[in-house]
Amino acid sequence: MSDHKWVYDFAEGSKDMRELLGGKGANVAEMTRVLGAEPKAPPSGAADRHPIVPAGFTITTEACVVYMRSGHEPEGLDDQVADAMRRLEKTAGKVFGDDEDPLLVSVRSGARESMPGMLDTILNVGLNDRAVEGLSRATDNERFAWDSYRRLVQMFGNVVHGVGGDRFEGAIARAKQDAGVKTDAELPVEVLQKLVEEFKGFYEFPQDPQEQLRQAIRAVFDSWTGERAVSYRRINRIPDDWGTAVNVQQMVFGNKGDTSATGVAFSRDEVTGAPEPSGDFLVNAQGEDVVSGVRTPRDISELAEVMPEGHKQLMEIMRTLEAEYKDMQDVEFTIEEGRLYMLQTRNAKRPAQAAVRFAVDAVEEGLLTREEALRTIDAYSLDALLHPTFDRSDGYQVLARGVAASPGAAVGAIVFNAGDAVMQGQAGKNVILVRPFTEADDVAGFHAAKGILTSEGGKASHAALVARGMGVPAVTGAAVAIDLDAGAMTIGGRVFKAGDEIAIDGSEGAVVEPGARLIEPEIDERFDTVLEWADELRRLGVRVNADTPHDAERARELGAEGIGLCRTEHMFMAEDRQPKMRAMIMADDREGRRAALRELLPLQQEDFVGLFEAMRGLPVTIRLLDPPLHEFLPNLPELRAHVERARIEQTDDLEELEKLLARVEEIHEGNPMLGTRGVRLGILYPEIYEMQVHAIMRAAKAVDEPPHPEIMIPLVAYEHELEIARELVVSVAGEHDMREGEDYTVGTMIELPRACFIANLIARHADFFSFGTNDLTQTAIGFSRDDVESKFIPTYIDDKIIDRSPFETIDAPGVGWLVRLAAWVGREADPGLKLGICGEHGGDPDSVAFFHRAGLDYVSCSPFRIPIARIAAAQAAIDDRIVGGALGWSAAPDGGT
Ligand code: ADP
Ligand code: MG
Ligand code: MG
């Protein structure tokens, strides 16, 4: 173990070593490599040469992991640090611990993923009571020396000895008041000296520089297991066992007076992505002064006036770094007496609009290829571009927090039930549906509402899933009290009644003051450009899940190449259909049902005509009736209560109600999701499917430019089920002179594990498979989607059993394995088998990448997620090409996951 390498000089590392060196260490090493460890002349060519990146070394994350596990530093670390310090002294030409002109260092944390503000950094390590005098003489700058010492004693006390930051800040505030100055940069030497004395009274400050260094390194290790960092990792799904690296770096000083400064900058505007760099700086300051708010920083453009040479060089370096990283950069720098030093760089986090703008500009500038540019976009973030948002600068005020369940902003009048939402929505009113939680019965209200607000549930609750699917903004689990009986919602004592205005911000997860102003989204020219590139590069097709002509039209504008799932049951839920549907279910025999269905036929046909017109010439997958019939009837307990009342009052409709109750009881099932639904309905009541096929065929013949209907049979478990259903379809279609394979195709939804296992047998009767990954996830894991989210998924995520809900991103090793298996054996039986996916996962970027690798032909998702799926599909194709065969398993489930 003792010859294990724990320490790397900056000159030894590179950006590919972030696991070992942490993000900061790897990037500082990369900058050292790119900008050169050798002294550089400033752009003016003046004689004054200096390296751009102050020298130093990194203690690896492995050392932190050993420390974490064993409680002490790994063997050999001390010696390696001592050696590295000797090398650093040589490069710097100064000695650590020297009394006259000491070498000072910063001790900086840096994990694999950036954890802003969570881990600790200590500056000016190496100063003590004697060295501060030496530094003062050597630099001929007494104020600077004492300012640096003051900062060290303060940071050391805070980070290493846990003295509360407010004690130090309180003392500084008093000192400023006594001295009659506004900022700490104005504090005179004597006051700084007094502050240092006062601070040393708070804890025992070690005068020995070696001891300072040892304690500082240990404190950075310890900060990894600090409460702050631990909870940050929980929220951001960062593993606890990564550890942090420690960077020890020669100090440079932005606090040496008016020709010195420190700052942060983005290589382009961090909000819009426009090519002008943005950022902040402070003259005569150090470290976190710029971000901590001790003084108001100045805009980076002003640096051009104050320190033109440093500014020019900074701009050039950011260009160089962008080219090297092939991405927008976020840098930290210091100017010491006119000389620029780079202290950090990393790929800039940015909102979607800036990401898109950067991608387009970078290609135009010749900085990136289209493929490279596409890879810089976080497909998940694009959601924000596809929904209205609030103008944050205008009347935006948060009333209560909740979960950001479905992005977008909405303002409207409160309604407490779906029926009111439908009624008022149809009357053209903007409403927000407010419920403790939602159920299948509420879905009609989702269509009618501008937004959904619940007091229970999380990101994968029923409300969240349905809202996201429809592109309706939603906030779930909000800190509001809803009393349905009283028809009131209370937020911190303020009572809202039905009809009162409320606003929700589904992108932020907040209930906001209704005065907030809405900004409509649009796909601008740049986003369009990026989407066109994506279309050229992707292999996966992208279709939409849509049941209405309106959704279909919208989806086509957003780039849908067909409908991957049309749920016909929504067509039976509309108000004019429900009584007919009920009559059909209530009928005593097949003839009675047929009669009722005859009335539904023209209505359903009309629906298909609308849909087919919207999708002119494109494939349209229509799923025959799937849900259990009870969904079309009144809810059983309610109906029982109703009948009870009718019996007491002996009302006229009692007989009718009794009959309805008997029927509802008859078809009632303990677990309807696994009961009489899907193809099972088609087998028990073939007349329903017959009517639907008649409607489809008639509609297809009625439109000018016919689509390609793909008739999909749901919930098949046995090949014989599909065989029967298919014969029915073919025979009905034959009555319309429509030929299978030419005028339409027949396939099945794959949503049961058994169907995956026997996919080769099923494929004999199918022209296509479409994976219904919502139900497949439910049936494969045994998770009831509507229940598990609010009950135990949050705990499972906290306990790291899973890292996100399997209903959000496909569970690749488990449910995904079934998909690959079915794709593989299905294609083995029928190489021409078309494969698609139509679950919620079709619009989730990580899942899209999985489906690409699994060899599927297309994904289908809700209209608003189509642009995201297009980009994600292109990214998957590009990754595939770059990584080559390494990740390139196709459908055959013999490769890795
Ligand atoms: P964080 O991860 O919180 O940004 P850093 O390690 O980057 O912490 O340190 C914070 C700030 O301290 C840097 O932005 C820089 O201004 C200052 N700093 C760190 N190391 C040095 C150094 N060697 N010389 C001068 N300033 C430094
Ligand atoms: Mg910082
Ligand atoms: Mg930093």
Side-chain angles (χ1 to χ4, degrees):
M1 207 61 170
S2 61
D3 55 0
H4 191 89
K5 188 167 164 70
W6 304 110
V7 172
Y8 289 76
D9 285 351
F10 291 162
E12 291 178 284
S14 78
K15 67 172 185 240
D16 305 320
M17 294 169 71
R18 59 186 308 142
E19 285 181 24
L20 190 63
L21 304 180
K24 198 180 292 167
N27 286 331
V28 168
E30 185 73 11
M31 278 203 296
T32 305
R33 209 171 62 73
V34 175
L35 303 173
E38 294 310 308
K40 282 267 178 353
S44 63
D48 179 21
R49 300 162 80 82
H50 69 282
I52 299 289
V53 183
F57 56 89
T58 303
I59 301 168
T60 64
T61 54
E62 287 176 354
C64 177
V65 171
V66 173
Y67 173 82
M68 210 159 51
R69 301 229 162 105
S70 67
H72 47 78
E73 286 81 358
E75 207 187 315
L77 179 63
D78 280 354
D79 290 345
Q80 290 183 31
V81 168
D83 287 347
M85 283 301 283
R86 274 194 287 277
R87 290 193 297 276
L88 184 56
E89 288 174 337
K90 225 164 138 193
T91 317
K94 295 182 184 182
V95 174
F96 187 66
D98 185 41
D99 280 350
E100 278 316 310
D101 184 13
L103 167 67
L104 302 186
V105 295
S106 62
V107 178
R108 315 173 63 188
S109 60
R112 203 191 287 189
E113 297 276 328
S114 125
M115 297 167 58
M118 293 302 125
L119 304 173
D120 293 316
T121 285
I122 305 165
L123 307 181
N124 307 329
V125 172
L127 276 179
N128 57 23
D129 291 349
R130 267 170 297 132
V132 68
E133 302 289 356
L135 182 66
S136 162
R137 282 190 296 275
T139 57
D140 196 19
N141 190 338
E142 195 181 15
R143 210 208 90 87
F144 152 70
W146 280 94
D147 183 53
S148 303
Y149 193 30
R150 183 270 299 174
R151 288 167 185 275
L152 170 63
V153 180
Q154 181 177 346
M155 271 188 256
F156 204 91
N158 184 230
V159 172
V160 184
H161 289 262
V163 182
D166 42 346
R167 286 186 75 186
F168 297 105
E169 291 304 336
I172 294 173
R174 277 190 300 278
K176 282 196 288 199
Q177 205 168 21
D178 293 347
V181 300
K182 280 216 183 72
T183 71
D184 54 357
E186 297 163 280
L187 287 173
V189 177
E190 312 78 63
V191 176
L192 292 170
Q193 287 169 335
K194 270 207 221 102
L195 279 174
V196 168
E197 272 321 296
E198 188 178 349
F199 290 176
K200 283 195 288 189
F202 294 170
Y203 70 99
E204 200 175 326
F205 173 72
Q207 287 288 322
D208 175 10
Q210 297 295 347
E211 182 59 20
Q212 290 172 15
L213 181 62
R214 222 183 49 74
Q215 288 189 17
I217 292 171
R218 188 170 257 224
V220 171
F221 282 161
D222 284 334
S223 70
W224 178 258
T225 45
E227 213 176 291
R228 239 180 335 155
V230 170
S231 61
Y232 181 90
R233 289 200 293 275
R234 282 286 128 79
I235 296 164
N236 292 282
R237 300 186 188 129
I238 296 176
D240 287 332
D241 56 10
W242 280 0
T244 178
V246 185
N247 302 286
V248 178
Q249 185 174 32
Q250 179 180 3
M251 283 301 302
V252 290
F253 303 99
N255 57 337
K256 264 194 178 170
D258 290 345
T259 55
S260 301
T262 188
V264 297
F266 290 85
S267 58
R268 304 181 187 233
D269 189 287
E270 87 261 39
V271 177
T272 64
E276 300 76 39
S278 61
D280 291 322
F281 75 100
L282 275 176
V283 171
N284 196 14
Q286 194 180 41
E288 303 285 25
D289 290 2
V290 180
V291 286
S292 68
V294 295
R295 274 190 272 156
T296 310
R298 301 167 69 175
D299 191 84
I300 202 79
S301 57
E302 290 176 38
L303 187 66
E305 294 151 36
V306 192
M307 298 170 197
E309 186 124 327
H311 179 264
K312 183 160 178 252
Q313 202 178 1
L314 176 64
M315 298 298 126
E316 284 173 11
I317 284 174
M318 285 199 288
R319 283 276 133 164
T320 308
L321 292 172
E322 271 196 349
E324 176 63 24
Y325 281 88
K326 295 188 180 296
D327 205 343
M328 191 171 146
Q329 294 299 293
D330 163 2
V331 305
E332 295 177 2
F333 66 91
T334 282
I335 296 177
E336 178 182 329
E337 298 188 318
R339 292 180 298 262
L340 174 76
Y341 294 93
M342 299 301 295
L343 294 170
Q344 190 173 319
T345 193
R346 62 184 166 207
N347 295 343
K349 289 223 165 67
R350 54 211 183 251
Q353 54 172 351
V356 167
R357 167 128 204 207
F358 170 74
V360 173
D361 288 354
V363 170
E364 255 170 41
E365 292 164 21
L367 183 66
L368 303 182
T369 64
R370 289 176 178 191
E371 284 89 340
E372 287 167 343
L374 272 170
R375 293 182 99 218
T376 65
I377 296 174
D378 172 8
Y380 281 98
S381 77
L382 294 174
D383 230 17
L385 292 184
L386 299 163
H387 295 280
T389 47
F390 282 124
D391 183 351
R392 295 283 157 83
S393 62
D394 193 1
Y396 185 86
Q397 212 184 322
V398 174
L399 298 177
R401 293 269 166 205
V403 176
S406 175
V411 185
I414 294 173
V415 292
F416 288 108
N417 65 67
D420 290 351
V422 173
M423 248 165 50
Q424 299 189 25
Q426 277 170 354
K429 207 164 163 198
N430 292 342
V431 296
I432 306 287
L433 177 60
V434 178
R435 305 277 304 165
F437 54 90
T438 65
E439 300 171 288
D441 290 349
D442 299 317
V443 171
F446 280 61
H447 275 294
K450 292 282 168 217
I452 312 296
L453 171 61
T454 71
S455 54
E456 290 175 28
K459 250 194 147 94
S461 59
H462 176 269
L465 286 168
V466 177
R468 274 203 299 282
M470 292 183 180
V472 179
V475 175
T476 57
V480 302
I482 298 167
D483 184 342
L484 290 181
D485 293 333
M489 168 173 72
T490 316
I491 305 177
R494 189 161 147 200
V495 180
F496 293 80
K497 292 273 182 190
D500 290 350
E501 285 249 305
I502 192 74
I504 60 160
D505 186 339
S507 312
E508 276 294 305
V511 183
V512 297
E513 197 69 57
R517 206 175 68 82
L518 280 176
I519 314 173
E520 278 303 316
E522 50 183 300
I523 293 203
D524 65 5
E525 220 175 296
R526 291 196 183 90
F527 194 9
D528 226 20
T529 302
V530 171
L531 285 165
E532 277 169 28
W533 300 341
D535 290 345
E536 280 170 31
L537 291 162
R538 67 187 160 89
R539 180 186 60 68
L540 273 179
V542 176
R543 296 196 194 178
V544 66
N545 297 346
D547 319 324
T548 64
H550 173 265
D551 276 0
E553 290 284 3
R554 180 90 183 105
R556 225 182 151 143
E557 284 163 26
L558 293 171
E561 298 160 314
I563 289 181
L565 174 63
C566 164
R567 300 175 176 91
T568 51
E569 59 269 25
H570 287 172
M571 299 173 175
F572 297 124
M573 302 251 184
E575 244 172 311
D576 57 332
R577 322 276 164 94
Q578 219 165 15
K580 299 189 169 65
M581 191 66 184
R582 273 192 193 173
M584 190 277 290
I585 300 170
M586 294 299 296
D588 296 322
D589 53 21
R590 185 153 289 172
E591 251 338 286
R593 282 195 294 275
R594 284 225 160 93
L597 285 164
R598 268 197 294 279
E599 289 195 34
L600 279 168
L601 173 62
L603 300 172
Q604 177 119 86
Q605 182 181 335
E606 206 179 293
D607 291 331
F608 289 131
V609 168
L611 212 57
F612 289 172
E613 274 171 353
M615 281 288 146
R616 302 166 294 275
L618 296 178
V620 176
T621 306
I622 300 152
R623 179 176 73 186
L624 299 188
L625 194 67
D626 177 52
L629 293 181
H630 79 88
E631 285 196 9
F632 301 97
L633 297 179
N635 158 294
L636 182 57
E638 272 171 31
L639 185 61
R640 275 194 183 130
H642 197 127
V643 171
E644 203 60 37
R645 244 175 290 131
R647 276 182 192 142
I648 292 165
E649 293 165 17
Q650 284 295 315
T651 56
D652 294 345
D653 58 356
L654 179 59
E655 195 181 331
E656 204 180 314
L657 280 171
E658 300 254 19
K659 198 176 156 216
L660 181 62
L661 177 61
R663 184 70 176 134
V664 171
E665 274 171 344
E666 191 184 334
I667 63 172
H668 175 78
E669 294 174 324
N671 190 352
M673 285 313 291
L674 298 178
T676 312
R677 51 167 290 218
V679 68
R680 302 159 198 178
L681 278 175
I683 288 180
L684 291 182
Y685 310 106
E687 53 279 8
I688 300 178
Y689 280 12
E690 278 168 26
M691 181 279 284
Q692 294 197 290
V693 178
H694 279 300
I696 294 166
M697 296 303 154
R698 286 188 191 181
K701 293 182 91 164
V703 297
D704 291 341
E705 194 184 342
H708 302 285
E710 300 177 339
I711 296 174
M712 180 154 78
I713 311 297
L715 214 73
V716 165
Y718 298 91
E719 72 273 22
H720 210 53
E721 291 171 325
L722 181 60
E723 201 179 352
I724 294 171
R726 180 204 183 104
E727 270 164 21
L728 178 149
V729 173
V730 171
S731 117
V732 173
E735 294 176 34
H736 300 271
D737 286 330
M738 299 286 271
R739 280 147 312 170
E740 202 217 338
E742 282 171 47
D743 303 315
Y744 68 92
T745 55
V746 183
T748 180
M749 197 142 164
I750 299 281
E751 47 196 332
L752 294 170
R754 188 177 197 277
C756 296
F757 295 132
I758 59 148
N760 53 328
L761 304 178
I762 293 179
R764 289 191 201 149
H765 311 288
D767 300 314
F768 64 89
F769 284 174
S770 179
F771 291 95
T773 52
N774 297 347
D775 270 321
L776 189 57
T777 299
Q778 296 206 86
T779 52
I781 310 183
F783 276 5
S784 152
R785 179 168 90 180
D786 291 347
D787 298 321
V788 300
E789 168 60 19
S790 58
K791 297 292 190 287
F792 62 79
I793 290 226
T795 310
Y796 267 42
I797 291 173
D798 272 353
D799 290 354
K800 307 200 166 202
I801 295 169
I802 53 179
D803 68 358
R804 55 186 123 164
S805 165
F807 295 102
E808 238 175 82
T809 298
I810 187 138
D811 159 43
V815 180
W817 195 89
L818 287 171
V819 171
R820 292 164 58 202
L821 172 70
W824 177 43
V825 300
R827 280 227 177 102
E828 224 168 45
D830 174 6
L833 189 69
K834 198 193 262 184
L835 299 173
I837 124 93
C838 61
E840 277 275 324
H841 300 108
D844 171 74
D846 287 348
S847 306
V848 170
F850 172 84
F851 297 129
H852 169 91
R853 297 200 301 272
L856 267 48
D857 296 308
Y858 69 86
V859 296
S860 188
C861 58
S862 50
F864 284 96
R865 301 200 69 86
I866 285 172
I868 297 174
R870 286 161 74 190
I871 301 271
Q875 289 174 335
I878 296 165
D879 284 352
D880 215 10
R881 226 168 299 157
I882 290 173
V883 184
L887 258 183
W889 46 263
S890 67
D894 46 6
T897 47

